[in-house]
Amino acid sequence: MEANRRISDAGSVQALAMSFLTVSQQAAIASYRWIGKVNKNEADGAGTEAMRRQMNLIPMKGVIVIGEGEMDEAPMLYIGEELGTGKGPHLDIAVDPVEGTSLMAKGQDNAMAVIAASERGSLLHAPDMYMKKIAVGPKAKGCIDIQASLTENMKAVAKALGKEVQELTVMIQDRPRHEGLIREVLDLEARVKLFSDGDITGAIATALEELDVDLLAGTGGAPEGVIAAAALKCLGGDLQAQLVPNSRAEYERCVRMGLSEPDKGLTIDDLVRSEDCFFVTTGITDSPLLKGVRKLKDGSMLTHSFVAIGGSTPGFQFIEARH
């Protein structure tokens, strides 16, 4: 896939995007040795430690708002942890050091290191629970409604794209809970593209014409929903969401985290309340978006990354690097 629109350095937060590229690259390289070793905890630990070490070198006052858990649950990159040199822009940071840990541990595709960042106070502090999501690319921005049925959304998106409904491709995670959504798509004679894990890639795919995905729908992790929203904000796409607390305890946790109406529909601007943001990811194993880490004969490592920046001059690049 060729590199696209050139990235601008306008804005203090966006200016750090290339520093965060190094963070994701180092996390992917650190995780490489655990591909196919059926030990996802070691893989995740290697990725998180590499991220933490590299982020502490960046001139910023960063705080993790979406990370590896609460402080007493995860020793690295916990929610509320402060990172950086203490000088520079104040950032909210959302990370998934190994998106698709189970896939990577089994030697399967679609694992990557992921980071999103925005100015302080602008990323939703999403609890680790399920979230209903629907995402589209720039041409269908403003046409989706999380409260409407998938059928209604598909008809609206088809109209915005100038397509027949039957021509749409809808990406859905292959889970029993999505049988109804899959049936809706098939009843409309449209195409389903199923995936096993990692809906961040699916959300991004809606904004890149080369990947031939018109819409992402389904229920997945809330933290990943915020990260995907940041990516789509940089790409000019759209995402709406709704938290799905499965118990009274989860509902009350939402309230404690500042979400007074946990079941309220959320727009992309609720999830990411600033244009001053960026998204960075580096492939660990191959995916439709990125190539995985490669070790060359001379011992050097080859990485493939994607960087997207928001703001007044948004852009994105695919970057291949040798380390």
Side-chain angles (χ1 to χ4, degrees), residues 186-240:
L186 297 179
D187 285 347
L188 291 172
E189 299 181 3
R191 302 183 190 92
V192 173
K193 183 175 284 190
L194 298 177
F195 65 97
S196 60
D197 288 284
D199 60 9
I200 294 174
T201 297
I204 294 169
T206 65
L208 301 177
E209 290 188 20
E210 303 94 321
L211 298 184
D212 192 27
V213 175
D214 299 302
L215 190 148
L216 169 83
T219 301
E224 290 84 356
V226 176
I227 295 173
L232 281 173
K233 194 149 200 176
C234 296
L235 295 168
D238 202 1
L239 186 148
Q240 289 195 11

Side-chain angles (χ1 to χ4, degrees), residues 20-35 43-51 53-54 96-99 104 111-115 280-285 290-295 301-306 321 323:
F20 274 84
L21 169 62
T22 303
V23 176
S24 70
Q25 288 170 335
Q26 291 303 311
I29 290 170
S31 301
Y32 170 81
R33 67 182 290 245
W34 296 103
I35 295 173
D44 200 46
T48 49
E49 182 54 37
M51 273 196 177
R53 183 172 58 249
Q54 197 67 39
D96 194 341
V98 184
E99 158 81 342
M104 196 209 75
M112 57 189 186
V114 176
I115 311 168
V280 180
T281 181
T282 299
I284 300 173
T285 58
L290 295 167
K291 300 172 189 173
V293 178
R294 300 285 194 275
K295 188 171 184 177
M301 309 295 283
L302 200 64
T303 60
H304 192 213
S305 305
F306 177 79
H323 307 265

